[in-house]
Amino acid sequence: MNLYLGIDFGTSGGRGVVIDEEASCIQAEVRYPFHDSPDAVTPKIWQEALFALVEQIPDQLRREIKAIAINGTSSTVLLVDAAGNPVDAPLLYNDARGSCVLEHLRSIAPPNHTVLSATSSLAKLLWMRQLPSFSEARYFLHQADWLAFLLHGQLGISDYHNALKLGYDVEKLKYPEWQELLEIPIQLLPKVLSPGTPIAQLRPEIADKFGLRRDCLVCAGTTDSIAAFLASGAKLPGEAVTSLGSTLVLKLLSRTRVEDARYGIYSHRLGDLWLTGGASNTGGAVLKQFFTNAELASLSRKIDASKASELDYYPLLKVGDRFPINDPNLPPRLEPRPDNPVEFLHGLLESIARIEARGYELLQQMGADKLSRVYTAGGGAANDTWTAIRARHLQVPVVASVYTEAAYGTALLAMGDRKRG
């Protein structure tokens, strides 16, 4: 039996899913939570998590794994030396230090391009140029690129989902000419493959250490939110996936490509269609600042989802959002705070749902297909009260994703057409 392993690196930890050739049966599911805040999680911890996930898979299944793919958080990036060792701390997906290079970037990149965001991979790379460690760097990699390198040993390889915010032209499948004006050392930029493309077999020492097949392929990966989309079951233009994890990520399948950096909107290529959307810093991480998981479950049951909360918040952990308002200086709004925790939670859930609806309205105003159905991935998918509140705002059916784990979508990517090969 051939099996396929998908590994998901989100902000709260790593997860792995093993599927068979029918993709209808999950053979194994493993997880490795990060106990520190995302800011404190280092590449060393990523590496520990990766190998711990593989180790948790039962021995007999490991021997059957034919291909592996990894997703990571979009625009989480790092510089590495010629041996693949990080030369400095990575910059995480929501790190806005690149805001100081935006003026320079605006003078070169096309108007409203995806890279014109303080958190884009390209803005982060330009910011990194002033680091003392930059002279030691040989490759600029995304989180998923580096984790895959640990398995296959090839440096300087990415996929066009991760590379979109690096400025890679996903229509023409090449780096744009305007990028040359930025004078980035060309060898730093990764070679870009289609997601799911086999890169190389496992390094023999890794295969032997973990009891994996030596001919097991490691494939080009994707981002965590696209992996969640692939897992969801959404297939038709107008269908969308909202990922309600630590943050709020919207993806709407469209026949039209929509891009506008003013609003944090960008489109990923997905076959002949476009996955248009954006990511907000609001989401589950804000809820967990105030409530435990048990409190969220018990208090949600006391909310009347048919009634709108009059509280109007913009829930953020810290200053700044990316979409539907792209403003690194946008302040969190969490007042007034009622004494009753049920009312407070109702206001938070309602406000995040309002931001979600505003995001989908904006995508449609910009030319994307009309929203017809929303699948939900991430931890928030299990909250029925929140689902009802969101359906009231979105005015379309809101359903749980067929599979809610982004790791499942990444396993599908690893399988690709190989089951027929």
Side-chain angles (χ1 to χ4, degrees), residues 219-296:
C219 305
T222 184
T223 65
D224 53 350
S225 59
I226 291 189
F229 187 94
L230 296 174
S232 71
K235 288 183 173 65
L236 303 172
E239 293 185 331
V241 173
T242 295
S243 294
L244 287 175
S246 301
T247 59
L248 171 75
V249 183
L250 311 187
K251 295 267 187 268
L252 173 59
L253 202 54
S254 173
R255 286 166 286 206
T256 309
R257 183 182 185 183
V258 178
E259 306 256 338
D260 199 321
R262 290 175 300 174
Y263 306 107
I265 292 172
Y266 53 90
S267 288
H268 280 285
R269 185 177 183 145
L270 201 67
D272 297 329
L273 297 171
W274 294 95
L275 205 46
T276 184
S280 171
N281 293 336
T282 193
V286 186
L287 300 178
K288 288 183 179 177
Q289 189 181 25
F290 300 106
F291 304 103
T292 65
N293 286 339
E295 286 169 337
L296 284 170

Side-chain angles (χ1 to χ4, degrees), residues 13 29 31 37 52 66 93 97 99 115 158 170 182 205 225 249 273 278 280 307 315 340 345 348 368 371 399 403:
E29 201 165 341
R31 55 188 58 208
S37 71
K66 188 179 182 182
Y93 67 99
R97 276 177 271 192
S99 57
V115 298
S158 188
V170 294
L182 295 169
E205 63 271 27
S225 59
V249 183
L273 297 171
S280 171
K307 291 186 178 164
N340 184 336
L345 178 58
L348 289 171
L371 187 68
V399 298
Y403 293 95

Side-chain angles (χ1 to χ4, degrees), residues 8 26 43 404:
D8 162 48
I26 291 177
T404 58

Side-chain angles (χ1 to χ4, degrees), residues 149-170:
F149 149 73
L150 295 177
L151 298 180
H152 58 57
Q154 312 281 320
L155 275 164
I157 297 173
S158 188
D159 63 88
Y160 64 55
H161 289 159
N162 272 294
L164 179 79
K165 294 179 187 175
L166 186 53
Y168 187 78
D169 187 330
V170 294

Side-chain angles (χ1 to χ4, degrees), residues 85-153:
N85 301 308
V87 300
D88 218 308
L91 295 190
L92 301 187
Y93 67 99
N94 59 351
D95 193 304
R97 276 177 271 192
S99 57
C100 62
V101 302
L102 283 182
E103 201 173 322
H104 173 54
L105 196 47
R106 275 194 199 97
S107 69
I108 291 170
N112 304 325
H113 195 283
T114 306
V115 298
L116 297 174
S117 159
T119 58
S120 77
S121 302
L122 188 57
K124 290 185 175 95
L125 173 54
L126 296 182
W127 180 86
M128 286 170 156
R129 283 206 287 208
Q130 44 86 38
L131 293 171
S133 57
F134 191 77
S135 60
E136 303 165 47
R138 292 295 172 271
Y139 300 98
F140 176 81
L141 299 174
H142 303 87
Q143 181 187 36
D145 309 338
W146 186 73
L147 288 164
F149 149 73
L150 295 177
L151 298 180
H152 58 57

